[in-house]
Each structure stands twice: as C-alpha cells, then as structure tokens.
Amino acid sequence: MSNPQQLRYSKEHEWLSAVEDGVATIGITEYAANALGDVVYAQLPAVGDTVTAGETCGELESTKSVSDLYSPVSGEVTEANQDVVDDPSLVNSAPFEGGWLFKVRVAGEPEDLLSADEYTEFSGN
C-alpha cells in the first residue's frame, strides 16, 4: 500500500489534500477502505454543514460493518462527492482519486496530522 506523499493523514484514517484557496479535499485511506470491506452506503456531510476536527460528520457502511466518518479539520463543507453517494464502491476502488468524500473551507491550520511516512508507520503498512 502506498500513501501519497502530498497528503496529510489523521489517526482516524482520513486523508486531507493540501489547502488550495482555503479548501481541502477529504477522503479515507486505502488502509481504512480495505479494513471496512466493500462499501455499500455513504452518508456524507451536506454542503453548508459545519464540521469540527475529530468529530463525526457522516458514516460509511460496508458488508462488514458501519464506520463513523471523522473530519480531520474544522470548517464549512463546500462540496460532497455525489459520485460516491451514487456508487460507494469508489471508496474501495479509488480512495485517493474518485473516491474522495467531501471538500471543506478550512477554518485555521490543520493540526495533529501525519505525513505519509508517519501514517504508514502508525497504521503498520
């Protein structure tokens, strides 16, 4: 498993893209997608929702279990990935590309996020 170097990672297994024009993209890692199994349902935060770093903002349901989705940053949701709502398997097949989950206008600098190497060490992959 290879975690893209340009992303930052949370200990809850979410990734965060670089903040561009105040907005960052969020998804779950390949490690988390594999641990969940086949994702069959995604409940994502809606545009305009406020999310708080470390708090639940949605859920992913798989053939194995239901898992809460946590935001790695605080801010306002600017976009939810409708493609993932329509085809949740994108979370498994392309977790770092088409399987992204939502975008957030970030309020402040993200803290406590791991580099790719730190996340690899943390997750054991």
Side-chain angles (χ1 to χ4, degrees):
M1 226 175 289
S2 177
N3 297 304
Q5 291 292 321
Q6 74 276 18
L7 301 177
R8 293 292 170 250
Y9 301 86
S10 75
K11 291 185 177 180
E12 286 80 29
H13 306 286
E14 280 84 25
W15 58 261
L16 175 84
S17 71
V19 177
E20 294 180 25
D21 296 327
V23 176
T25 302
I26 296 169
I28 67 166
T29 65
E30 185 176 6
Y31 173 82
N34 288 340
L36 274 173
D38 296 332
V39 177
V40 296
Y41 174 76
Q43 177 199 355
L44 305 178
V47 172
D49 283 356
T50 299
V51 294
T52 302
E55 293 190 9
T56 304
C57 62
E59 69 180 28
L60 297 174
E61 183 177 330
S62 72
T63 55
K64 292 181 181 180
S65 67
V66 175
S67 179
D68 286 333
L69 176 63
Y70 296 90
S71 180
V73 293
S74 297
E76 181 180 342
V77 176
T78 62
E79 185 177 350
N81 189 347
Q82 188 61 42
D83 290 342
V84 165
V85 173
D86 295 341
D87 181 7
S89 70
L90 287 171
V91 171
N92 298 104
S93 63
F96 296 115
E97 294 89 26
W100 61 273
L101 301 176
F102 60 99
K103 295 185 180 186
V104 173
R105 180 162 309 284
V106 178
E109 279 298 309
E111 296 180 20
D112 300 330
L113 297 178
L114 307 173
S115 69
D117 293 339
E118 290 167 335
Y119 178 74
T120 299
E121 184 177 321
F122 168 77
S123 63
N125 288 297

